[in-house]
């Protein structure tokens, strides 16, 4: 594992490796975080809020994704910034400080780890294409025999909790099985919706 110190930015929705996201920075602590990262050319870590099952309180995820700043879109007179970021390496967070004084934002020790994520599972790739076809998205079908499982995850409707399970699963087979189970559920739902729609018009 490779360890480093990362500024931490909690989000309600997780960013996966290779995924690009739009962010709007408006809080003072994250304005400072963004300024520091731009000045140093460094990444920052994105973690997400998870529900704590016993009492339904929110807790920060242990695993996260380092993101790099792709492009600054706009900065207002108040210092609010719109930007595009892209997910990169996966890390496990330790020694998190919600405020790393004198900074306003939080920081953590981040243990980066390597995980296999390029799949050649023909059943998985074919199943994703089936869902895309059922959704009428033929133009974005996948024409390859190998692809990142995280890129496949962008194609289907994963919940934040499902994204997190995919992220922290180190074994490629585990990632593939998680995706296949989700896709099978999605196909059942789409089939049921199609049948209901047909019944509605028949009646």
């Amino acid at each position: 594992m490779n360890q480093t110190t990362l500024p931490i930015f909690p989000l309600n929705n997780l960013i996966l490796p290779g995924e690009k996201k739009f962010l709007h920075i408006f809080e003072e602590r994250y304005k400072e975080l963004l300024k520091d990262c731009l000045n140093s050319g460094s990444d920052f870590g994105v973690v997400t809020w998870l529900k704590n099952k016993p009492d339904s309180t929110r807790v920060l995820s242990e695993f996260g994704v380092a993101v790099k700043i792709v492009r600054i879109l706009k900065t207002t007179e108040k210092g609010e910034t719109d930007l595009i970021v892209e997910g990169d390496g996966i890390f496990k967070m330790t020694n998190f400080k919600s405020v790393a004084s004198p900074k306003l934002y939080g920081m953590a020790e981040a243990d980066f780890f390597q995980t296999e994520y390029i799949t050649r599972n023909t059943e998985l790739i074919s199943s994703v294409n089936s869902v895309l076809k059922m959704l009428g998205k033929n133009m974005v079908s996948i024409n390859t025999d190998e692809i990142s499982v995280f890129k496949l995850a962008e194609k289907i409707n994963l919940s934040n909790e499902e994204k997190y399970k995919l992220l922290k699963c180190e074994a490629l087979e585990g990632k593939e099985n998680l995706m296949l189970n989700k896709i099978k559920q999605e196909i059942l739902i789409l089939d049921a919706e199609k049948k209901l729609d047909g019944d509605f018009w028949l009646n």
Side-chain angles (χ1 to χ4, degrees), residues 39-53:
N39 287 339
S40 64
S42 60
D43 297 345
F44 59 92
V46 168
V47 293
T48 191
W49 291 103
L50 299 172
K51 287 184 179 179
N52 190 17
K53 290 183 180 179

Side-chain angles (χ1 to χ4, degrees), residues 9-188:
F9 189 5
L11 283 176
N12 288 327
N13 292 300
L14 195 61
I15 298 174
L16 294 175
E19 184 179 17
K20 290 182 179 179
K21 283 281 188 178
F22 168 87
L23 296 180
H24 175 69
I25 307 294
F26 61 93
E27 292 186 52
E28 291 302 322
R29 54 183 167 172
Y30 299 127
K31 288 180 188 177
E32 183 183 38
L33 181 153
L34 178 60
K35 181 180 177 182
D36 288 349
C37 288
L38 287 171
N39 287 339
S40 64
S42 60
D43 297 345
F44 59 92
V46 168
V47 293
T48 191
W49 291 103
L50 299 172
K51 287 184 179 179
N52 190 17
K53 290 183 180 179
D55 55 9
S56 294
T57 57
R58 296 201 311 168
V59 295
L60 278 181
S61 62
E62 187 179 19
F63 290 85
V65 173
V67 301
K68 55 187 178 183
I69 299 165
V70 175
R71 186 164 72 253
I72 300 296
L73 301 175
K74 180 179 69 175
T75 301
T76 69
E77 292 180 0
K78 294 181 179 179
E80 298 182 10
T81 302
D82 294 339
L83 68 155
I84 302 293
V85 298
E86 182 177 356
D88 195 5
I90 303 169
F91 65 86
K92 183 177 182 181
M93 186 170 64
T94 60
N95 300 323
F96 172 65
K97 293 182 179 179
S98 58
V99 178
S101 183
K103 301 298 182 182
L104 299 175
Y105 53 84
M107 298 188 76
E109 294 297 321
D111 292 323
F112 283 85
F113 60 92
Q114 297 295 322
T115 176
E116 191 176 0
Y117 58 87
I118 299 298
T119 181
R120 297 170 181 82
N121 188 314
T122 54
E123 181 187 3
L124 176 57
I125 296 172
S126 175
S127 296
V128 173
N129 275 328
S130 295
V131 170
L132 294 174
K133 186 175 180 180
M134 293 174 79
L135 292 171
K137 297 180 179 180
N138 294 353
M139 296 299 292
V140 292
S141 61
I142 301 156
N143 299 306
T144 181
D145 57 1
E146 63 175 40
I147 190 171
S148 163
V149 289
F150 300 119
K151 183 59 67 176
L152 290 177
E154 291 182 47
K155 305 288 186 182
I156 61 175
N157 187 29
L158 289 182
S159 69
N160 203 44
E161 288 73 18
E162 288 167 333
K163 283 185 177 182
Y164 186 63
K165 287 179 182 178
L166 183 66
L167 183 73
K168 70 177 186 177
C169 182
E170 293 191 41
L172 177 60
E173 185 179 0
K175 291 185 179 73
E176 291 170 339
N177 288 337
L178 191 152
M179 289 284 292
L180 278 168
N181 288 335
K182 171 63 180 180
I183 291 165
K184 287 173 183 177
Q185 292 173 14
E186 193 77 13
I187 289 174
L188 285 174

